[in-house]
Amino acid sequence: MFTQAEDIRLVIPRRALEVVFDECDRYDTDETGGRILGTYEKRGDSLVVTVNGIIEPGPNAARTSTYFKQDGDHQERVFREIEKREPTVEHLGNWHTHHVNGLRHLSGGDIETYRRTVEHRNHNIDVFYALLVTERQPRKTGGDRYFYKNYLLRRGDPKVYEIPPSALSLTHDPLVWPSGVAPQDSLTIPAGAADEILKRNRVYDRDFIDQFYPRLKSYQSRELGVYWRGPITLIDTSTLEVVVLEDASGGVPAYRVNLRECPEHLSQFAEQFGARDFPSCRAALLTVERMCNYALYEGHHGKKRRRKWMF
Ligand SMILES: [Zn+2]
Protein backbone atom coordinates (compact mmCIF):
# COMPACT_ATOMS: atom_id res chain seq x y z
CA MET A 1 0.00 0.00 0.00
CA PHE A 2 2.97 2.36 0.67
CA THR A 3 6.08 3.02 -1.38
CA GLN A 4 9.34 3.78 0.39
CA ALA A 5 10.36 7.30 -0.69
CA GLU A 6 13.94 7.52 -1.88
CA ASP A 7 14.24 11.12 -3.05
CA ILE A 8 12.44 13.08 -0.34
CA ARG A 9 14.09 14.91 2.57
CA LEU A 10 11.94 16.13 5.42
CA VAL A 11 12.81 18.91 7.89
CA ILE A 12 10.68 19.32 11.02
CA PRO A 13 11.30 21.78 13.88
CA ARG A 14 11.04 20.08 17.29
CA ARG A 15 8.60 22.79 18.28
CA ALA A 16 6.15 21.52 15.62
CA LEU A 17 6.23 18.04 17.16
CA GLU A 18 5.61 19.55 20.59
CA VAL A 19 2.49 21.29 19.28
CA VAL A 20 1.27 18.04 17.70
CA PHE A 21 1.97 15.90 20.76
CA ASP A 22 0.39 18.43 23.14
CA GLU A 23 -2.78 18.25 21.06
CA CYS A 24 -2.69 14.42 21.21
CA ASP A 25 -2.41 14.62 25.02
CA ARG A 26 -5.52 16.78 25.15
CA TYR A 27 -7.68 14.39 23.13
CA ASP A 28 -6.77 11.05 24.46
CA THR A 29 -9.95 9.22 23.50
CA ASP A 30 -10.71 11.01 20.24
CA GLU A 31 -8.91 11.48 16.96
CA THR A 32 -7.51 14.92 16.46
CA GLY A 33 -5.17 16.70 14.08
CA GLY A 34 -4.39 19.94 12.28
CA ARG A 35 -2.93 21.61 9.21
CA ILE A 36 0.76 21.64 8.41
CA LEU A 37 2.41 24.68 6.87
CA GLY A 38 5.79 24.96 5.25
CA THR A 39 7.71 25.09 2.02
CA TYR A 40 9.03 22.57 -0.47
CA GLU A 41 11.69 22.77 -3.13
CA LYS A 42 13.61 20.62 -5.57
CA ARG A 43 17.30 20.29 -4.63
CA GLY A 44 19.14 18.23 -7.20
CA ASP A 45 17.27 14.97 -7.44
CA SER A 46 15.64 15.39 -4.07
CA LEU A 47 12.48 17.05 -2.94
CA VAL A 48 13.01 18.91 0.34
CA VAL A 49 9.88 19.41 2.44
CA THR A 50 10.29 21.86 5.33
CA VAL A 51 7.62 22.23 8.00
CA ASN A 52 7.32 25.66 9.63
CA GLY A 53 3.87 25.83 11.16
CA ILE A 54 0.92 23.90 12.59
CA ILE A 55 -2.61 25.32 12.55
CA GLU A 56 -4.81 24.04 15.34
CA PRO A 57 -8.04 22.14 14.48
CA GLY A 58 -10.14 25.13 15.53
CA PRO A 59 -13.04 25.71 17.94
CA ASN A 60 -15.67 23.94 15.80
CA ALA A 61 -13.71 20.76 15.03
CA ALA A 62 -15.67 17.50 15.42
CA ARG A 63 -14.06 14.41 16.93
CA THR A 64 -14.78 10.81 17.82
CA SER A 65 -12.38 7.88 18.23
CA THR A 66 -12.64 7.09 14.50
CA TYR A 67 -13.68 10.38 12.97
CA PHE A 68 -12.19 13.84 12.87
CA LYS A 69 -13.26 16.96 11.00
CA GLN A 70 -11.32 20.19 11.29
CA ASP A 71 -12.82 23.67 11.57
CA GLY A 72 -11.89 24.77 8.04
CA ASP A 73 -13.22 28.33 8.35
CA HIS A 74 -11.11 29.01 11.40
CA GLN A 75 -8.03 27.47 9.78
CA GLU A 76 -8.41 29.48 6.62
CA ARG A 77 -8.67 32.73 8.61
CA VAL A 78 -5.46 31.84 10.43
CA PHE A 79 -3.74 30.88 7.19
CA ARG A 80 -4.65 34.19 5.47
CA GLU A 81 -3.17 36.10 8.41
CA ILE A 82 0.09 34.13 8.25
CA GLU A 83 0.25 34.50 4.48
CA LYS A 84 0.30 38.29 4.81
CA ARG A 85 3.44 38.09 6.94
CA GLU A 86 5.06 35.08 5.25
CA PRO A 87 4.05 35.01 1.57
CA THR A 88 6.16 31.90 0.79
CA VAL A 89 4.35 29.68 3.26
CA GLU A 90 2.17 26.92 1.77
CA HIS A 91 -0.44 24.56 3.13
CA LEU A 92 1.79 21.46 2.93
CA GLY A 93 -0.70 18.97 4.30
CA ASN A 94 -2.34 17.62 7.44
CA TRP A 95 -1.50 15.73 10.57
CA HIS A 96 -3.83 13.51 12.60
CA THR A 97 -3.53 10.79 15.18
CA HIS A 98 -4.41 7.11 15.35
CA HIS A 99 -3.01 6.63 18.84
CA VAL A 100 -6.60 6.24 20.04
CA ASN A 101 -7.63 3.52 17.57
CA GLY A 102 -4.49 1.43 17.12
CA LEU A 103 -4.22 1.67 13.33
CA ARG A 104 -0.50 2.15 12.68
CA HIS A 105 -0.69 3.55 9.17
CA LEU A 106 -2.95 5.77 7.06
CA SER A 107 -6.40 4.27 6.55
CA GLY A 108 -8.01 3.77 3.16
CA GLY A 109 -10.28 6.71 3.94
CA ASP A 110 -7.31 8.93 4.84
CA ILE A 111 -5.61 8.10 1.54
CA GLU A 112 -8.79 8.76 -0.44
CA THR A 113 -9.22 12.18 1.21
CA TYR A 114 -5.58 13.16 0.71
CA ARG A 115 -5.65 11.93 -2.88
CA ARG A 116 -8.69 14.13 -3.59
CA THR A 117 -6.92 17.09 -1.99
CA VAL A 118 -3.63 16.76 -3.89
CA GLU A 119 -5.49 16.41 -7.20
CA HIS A 120 -7.79 19.36 -6.42
CA ARG A 121 -7.24 22.51 -8.46
CA ASN A 122 -7.51 24.67 -5.32
CA HIS A 123 -4.58 22.83 -3.72
CA ASN A 124 -1.73 25.22 -4.49
CA ILE A 125 1.19 22.78 -4.68
CA ASP A 126 1.87 19.42 -6.36
CA VAL A 127 2.43 17.48 -3.16
CA PHE A 128 0.48 16.68 -0.02
CA TYR A 129 2.40 15.85 3.13
CA ALA A 130 0.77 13.86 5.95
CA LEU A 131 2.10 13.27 9.43
CA LEU A 132 0.38 10.44 11.28
CA VAL A 133 0.79 9.91 15.02
CA THR A 134 0.48 6.16 15.53
CA GLU A 135 1.12 5.30 19.15
CA ARG A 136 1.88 6.63 22.57
CA GLN A 137 5.15 5.36 24.01
CA PRO A 138 4.54 4.42 27.62
CA ARG A 139 6.74 6.27 30.11
CA LYS A 140 8.52 8.30 27.43
CA THR A 141 8.36 12.05 27.72
CA GLY A 142 8.88 15.12 25.56
CA GLY A 143 9.59 14.52 21.89
CA ASP A 144 9.73 10.73 22.40
CA ARG A 145 6.29 10.25 23.86
CA TYR A 146 4.57 9.39 20.56
CA PHE A 147 5.53 7.37 17.50
CA TYR A 148 4.71 8.98 14.18
CA LYS A 149 5.04 8.33 10.46
CA ASN A 150 5.45 10.63 7.47
CA TYR A 151 3.80 10.27 4.08
CA LEU A 152 3.76 12.19 0.82
CA LEU A 153 1.36 12.11 -2.11
CA ARG A 154 2.16 13.69 -5.46
CA ARG A 155 -0.25 15.11 -8.00
CA GLY A 156 -0.74 12.72 -10.92
CA ASP A 157 1.13 9.87 -9.18
CA PRO A 158 -1.01 7.07 -7.71
CA LYS A 159 1.63 5.98 -5.16
CA VAL A 160 1.56 6.87 -1.48
CA TYR A 161 5.15 7.47 -0.35
CA GLU A 162 6.29 6.71 3.16
CA ILE A 163 9.28 8.84 4.16
CA PRO A 164 11.78 6.74 6.17
CA PRO A 165 13.05 8.12 9.51
CA SER A 166 16.55 8.33 7.99
CA ALA A 167 15.31 11.09 5.65
CA LEU A 168 14.07 13.22 8.53
CA SER A 169 16.01 16.07 10.19
CA LEU A 170 14.76 17.67 13.40
CA THR A 171 15.74 21.31 13.96
CA HIS A 172 15.39 24.00 16.60
CA ASP A 173 13.91 26.47 14.10
CA PRO A 174 10.98 28.64 15.24
CA LEU A 175 7.49 28.29 13.76
CA VAL A 176 5.44 30.86 11.87
CA TRP A 177 2.44 29.41 13.74
CA PRO A 178 1.63 29.04 16.59
CA SER A 179 3.71 32.16 17.11
CA GLY A 180 4.41 34.48 19.99
CA VAL A 181 3.97 31.64 22.47
CA ALA A 182 7.00 30.69 24.46
CA PRO A 183 7.71 26.97 24.05
CA GLN A 184 6.17 25.40 27.09
CA ASP A 185 7.44 22.51 29.07
CA SER A 186 5.54 19.58 27.62
CA LEU A 187 7.15 16.86 29.68
CA THR A 188 4.10 16.24 31.77
CA ILE A 189 0.82 14.65 30.79
CA PRO A 190 -2.19 16.37 32.38
CA ALA A 191 -3.23 14.55 35.56
CA GLY A 192 -6.78 14.00 34.30
CA ALA A 193 -5.56 12.42 31.07
CA ALA A 194 -3.37 9.88 32.89
CA ASP A 195 -6.30 8.90 35.12
CA GLU A 196 -8.55 8.45 32.11
CA ILE A 197 -5.99 6.24 30.35
CA LEU A 198 -5.64 4.06 33.41
CA LYS A 199 -9.40 3.60 33.84
CA ARG A 200 -10.00 2.88 30.18
CA ASN A 201 -7.10 0.46 30.02
CA ARG A 202 -8.51 -1.52 32.92
CA VAL A 203 -11.92 -1.82 31.24
CA TYR A 204 -10.41 -2.92 27.90
CA ASP A 205 -8.05 -5.31 29.64
CA ARG A 206 -10.85 -6.89 31.65
CA ASP A 207 -13.00 -7.50 28.55
CA PHE A 208 -10.08 -8.80 26.53
CA ILE A 209 -8.78 -11.12 29.24
CA ASP A 210 -12.27 -12.47 29.97
CA GLN A 211 -12.61 -13.49 26.34
CA PHE A 212 -9.12 -14.63 25.40
CA TYR A 213 -7.37 -15.58 28.65
CA PRO A 214 -10.24 -16.74 30.87
CA ARG A 215 -7.88 -18.54 33.24
CA LEU A 216 -6.11 -15.32 34.16
CA LYS A 217 -7.43 -13.54 37.24
CA SER A 218 -6.86 -10.01 38.43
CA TYR A 219 -5.70 -9.27 41.97
CA GLN A 220 -4.91 -6.28 44.05
CA SER A 221 -2.41 -6.27 46.87
CA ARG A 222 -0.93 -3.55 49.01
CA GLU A 223 2.55 -4.58 48.00
CA LEU A 224 2.09 -5.13 44.27
CA GLY A 225 -0.92 -2.97 43.42
CA VAL A 226 -3.07 -4.28 40.57
CA TYR A 227 -1.83 -7.42 38.81
CA TRP A 228 -3.05 -10.35 36.73
CA ARG A 229 -1.90 -13.91 37.20
CA GLY A 230 -2.58 -17.25 35.59
CA PRO A 231 -1.61 -19.70 32.86
CA ILE A 232 -1.61 -19.02 29.13
CA THR A 233 -1.62 -21.95 26.71
CA LEU A 234 1.07 -22.11 24.05
CA ILE A 235 1.13 -23.61 20.58
CA ASP A 236 2.47 -26.98 21.84
CA THR A 237 -0.37 -27.16 24.44
CA SER A 238 2.06 -26.50 27.29
CA THR A 239 1.12 -23.74 29.71
CA LEU A 240 3.12 -20.79 30.91
CA GLU A 241 2.44 -19.08 34.22
CA VAL A 242 2.48 -15.30 33.78
CA VAL A 243 2.14 -12.35 36.11
CA VAL A 244 1.44 -8.91 34.65
CA LEU A 245 1.99 -5.97 36.99
CA GLU A 246 0.45 -2.57 36.55
CA ASP A 247 2.60 0.40 37.47
CA ALA A 248 0.66 3.66 37.57
CA SER A 249 3.27 5.54 39.58
CA GLY A 250 4.68 7.41 36.58
CA GLY A 251 1.35 9.01 35.64
CA VAL A 252 0.59 7.05 32.47
CA PRO A 253 0.34 3.37 33.42
CA ALA A 254 2.98 0.88 32.27
CA TYR A 255 2.80 -2.91 32.46
CA ARG A 256 5.53 -5.44 33.15
CA VAL A 257 5.59 -9.19 32.71
CA ASN A 258 7.05 -11.89 34.93
CA LEU A 259 7.20 -15.47 33.69
CA ARG A 260 6.89 -17.87 36.61
CA GLU A 261 8.71 -21.19 36.57
CA CYS A 262 9.71 -20.42 33.06
CA PRO A 263 10.98 -23.46 31.07
CA GLU A 264 14.62 -23.11 30.17
CA HIS A 265 14.09 -22.78 26.45
CA LEU A 266 11.94 -19.70 27.02
CA SER A 267 14.11 -18.13 29.72
CA GLN A 268 15.73 -15.73 27.24
CA PHE A 269 12.30 -14.15 26.89
CA ALA A 270 11.67 -13.97 30.60
CA GLU A 271 14.60 -11.58 30.84
CA GLN A 272 13.59 -9.54 27.80
CA PHE A 273 10.01 -9.18 28.94
CA GLY A 274 11.01 -8.30 32.47
CA ALA A 275 12.92 -5.27 31.23
CA ARG A 276 10.22 -3.95 28.95
CA ASP A 277 7.19 -1.70 29.56
CA PHE A 278 3.94 -2.47 27.78
CA PRO A 279 1.11 0.06 27.29
CA SER A 280 -1.57 -2.39 28.54
CA CYS A 281 -1.97 -5.82 30.09
CA ARG A 282 -3.46 -7.17 26.86
CA ALA A 283 -0.48 -5.92 24.83
CA ALA A 284 1.84 -7.65 27.29
CA LEU A 285 -0.06 -10.96 27.09
CA LEU A 286 -0.30 -10.99 23.31
CA THR A 287 3.41 -10.24 22.94
CA VAL A 288 4.43 -12.95 25.39
CA GLU A 289 2.19 -15.51 23.75
CA ARG A 290 3.40 -14.69 20.24
CA MET A 291 7.09 -14.57 21.11
CA CYS A 292 6.95 -17.86 23.01
CA ASN A 293 4.96 -19.53 20.25
CA TYR A 294 7.50 -18.26 17.77
CA ALA A 295 10.32 -19.71 19.83
CA LEU A 296 8.53 -23.04 20.06
CA TYR A 297 7.83 -23.10 16.35
CA GLU A 298 11.42 -22.17 15.52
CA GLY A 299 12.62 -24.84 17.92
CA HIS A 300 10.53 -27.40 16.11
CA HIS A 301 11.19 -26.36 12.53
CA GLY A 302 14.54 -24.67 12.93
CA LYS A 303 18.01 -26.13 13.16
CA LYS A 304 18.51 -29.55 14.67
CA ARG A 305 20.43 -28.27 17.66
CA ARG A 306 17.31 -26.44 18.73
CA ARG A 307 15.33 -29.66 19.01
CA LYS A 308 16.05 -29.80 22.73
CA TRP A 309 13.90 -26.70 23.07
CA MET A 310 10.83 -28.82 22.55
CA PHE A 311 9.09 -30.42 25.47
ZN1 LIG B 1 -6.82 8.30 9.92
Side-chain angles (χ1 to χ4, degrees), residues 198-248:
L198 182 62
K199 270 190 235 156
R200 205 175 57 246
N201 240 340
R202 284 185 184 159
V203 172
Y204 288 165
D205 277 343
R206 191 193 59 212
D207 290 350
F208 185 87
I209 291 163
D210 275 356
Q211 281 192 53
F212 298 108
Y213 301 95
R215 293 162 73 197
L216 239 73
K217 301 281 173 251
S218 72
Y219 302 90
Q220 189 153 15
S221 83
R222 187 168 295 182
E223 192 192 346
L224 295 174
V226 174
Y227 66 99
W228 290 260
R229 181 176 186 157
I232 60 177
T233 307
L234 298 179
I235 198 171
D236 63 346
T237 72
S238 67
T239 56
L240 188 66
E241 186 79 10
V242 296
V243 179
V244 181
L245 291 161
E246 177 190 280
D247 177 0

Side-chain angles (χ1 to χ4, degrees), residues 31 66 96-98 101 103 105-111 114 132:
E31 274 202 18
T66 53
H96 75 293
T97 183
H98 282 175
N101 61 29
L103 189 62
H105 50 77
L106 292 180
S107 70
D110 294 333
I111 293 171
Y114 295 162
L132 180 71

